[in-house]
Amino acid sequence: MELLRLDGPLPPDLHDPVLLIAFDGWTDAGEGGTRAARELLEQFDGKRLGAFTPDRLYDYRDRRPVLEIERGSLRELAWPKLELHWVRPSAGPDLLVLLGAEPDLAWQGVIADIRAFAADVGATRSIGLGAVPGPIPHTRSSRLIVTSTEEAVFDQFGRPQEEIMVPASAQVAVEAELGAAGMDATGFWVRIPHYVATDYPEASQVLLRALAQLLHLEVETDHLDPEIVAQRRKLDDAAAGSPDVQSHIAMLEQAYDQEAEDDPGSIGQGPIPTGDQIAAELERFLREES
């Protein structure tokens, strides 16, 4: 492996390991996937196994390291990183969690090293965790979208009906190439409101529950409920201060409900505003209230 550097010997007793992938970036809307991965590391005492060489992956002028300065003194410099962790849940298979910043460079090199590592440890399945913005109102439940090479996964979670062409993120590229190489590759994606620019804990909860269902894990997710309720109330209050926002959200609710009635073509029809337009209205209201 050229880019992945292991910290030491791998655990000798890995049990049916599954590769879990969560990169930040545009397919990590609301930090849905990365937070879900961090929750797993915290709940099951994850151990770092290694990391990719950052100088080979990142354009530091585009993704600049963050420097802490305290009263004129230079403190910690936080570099972007992509790390590999090992998680042993109380039930189900071991998880090899690849978590961190989406690479700017060397995507094919990253993929080659992931394939080599998976072969070395005997991992035959990969699962990606992510979230994408969409015309979804915060007043409705977040929806899971599944991509997979396994028909059994579609039987369990349903198959999307639409055909789309999208710019690939690094995480999607990894999933596609691992699948093409013969691994069982699945992506769990949650649609979240495209006007929410902050963390969206409901996305992480949906992803964790789907992962637990697929792999028969025992994962705690109820502790996210207070955050979800508080965020929904805040968005409700913000929307209540603007008739325009209320009208926009009502249109999104109508489209959402039509799709729930098995009419996938209804989404995206009509003059649905952009996420930037709705976000601007919400931000304006919150500024006036502060």
Side-chain angles (χ1 to χ4, degrees):
M1 296 181 289
E2 295 186 4
L3 301 173
L4 177 59
R5 297 289 181 263
L6 299 178
D7 296 338
L10 294 172
D13 57 344
L14 291 175
H15 169 60
D16 191 23
V18 174
L19 186 63
L20 200 65
I21 303 169
F23 296 167
D24 74 4
W26 79 270
T27 51
D28 186 40
E31 296 188 12
T34 52
R35 179 169 182 184
R38 290 195 301 270
E39 288 281 343
L40 292 170
L41 298 184
E42 292 172 7
Q43 287 190 36
F44 301 115
D45 192 24
K47 303 288 191 277
R48 188 182 121 140
L49 297 179
F52 282 82
T53 306
D55 280 2
R56 301 279 296 277
L57 266 58
Y58 301 110
D59 177 355
Y60 295 132
R61 292 174 300 179
D62 182 62
R63 187 191 286 270
R64 293 184 181 273
V66 178
L67 176 63
E68 179 184 355
I69 304 176
E70 182 180 351
R71 301 179 61 190
S73 297
L74 303 185
R75 302 300 187 188
E76 183 179 359
L77 184 62
W79 297 88
K81 57 188 178 182
L82 183 59
E83 297 182 321
L84 181 67
H85 303 264
W86 169 47
V87 170
R88 172 157 287 173
S90 54
D94 284 1
L95 304 177
L96 301 169
V97 183
L98 187 59
L99 169 65
E102 178 185 39
D104 299 316
L105 309 168
W107 286 17
Q108 294 190 42
V110 169
I111 293 168
D113 279 9
I114 293 174
R115 287 175 55 183
F117 174 77
D120 287 346
V121 300
T124 60
R125 165 180 271 185
S126 74
I127 300 172
L129 303 177
V132 291
I136 306 298
H138 72 274
T139 53
R140 299 291 189 268
S141 298
S142 296
R143 281 190 175 164
L144 183 72
I145 308 169
V146 178
T147 56
S148 186
T149 60
E150 300 181 76
E151 285 298 324
V153 174
F154 292 128
D155 292 340
Q156 188 171 3
F157 294 96
R159 179 191 290 273
Q161 298 302 312
E162 66 268 28
E163 280 190 37
I164 57 175
M165 296 286 288
V166 296
S169 67
Q171 183 168 318
V172 174
V174 170
E175 179 186 337
E177 293 295 333
L178 292 181
M183 288 186 68
D184 294 329
T186 293
F188 283 143
W189 311 93
V190 176
R191 285 178 177 167
I192 74 167
H194 59 167
Y195 51 86
V196 176
T198 60
D199 296 355
Y200 204 71
E202 185 180 356
S204 302
Q205 186 181 70
V206 170
L207 291 169
L208 287 171
R209 289 177 174 175
L211 185 68
Q213 181 179 342
L214 180 65
L215 298 181
H216 307 291
L217 306 177
E218 296 177 0
V219 181
E220 172 58 40
T221 62
D222 290 345
H223 66 287
L224 297 174
D225 286 340
E227 289 184 54
I228 294 170
V229 171
Q231 183 180 52
R232 187 165 295 179
R233 287 175 178 168
K234 186 175 182 179
L235 291 169
D236 284 343
D237 291 343
S242 169
D244 287 340
V245 170
Q246 288 180 301
S247 175
H248 295 335
I249 291 176
M251 293 168 60
L252 296 176
E253 289 173 336
Q254 182 180 17
Y256 180 103
D257 293 342
Q258 287 176 349
E259 185 181 44
E261 294 174 0
D262 295 326
D263 185 9
S266 64
I267 286 290
Q269 295 181 359
I272 293 178
T274 68
D276 288 342
Q277 290 171 329
I278 301 179
E281 286 285 340
L282 292 172
E283 290 171 3
R284 177 191 60 76
F285 173 78
L286 292 173
R287 283 196 304 269
E288 292 174 356
E289 289 295 299
S290 61

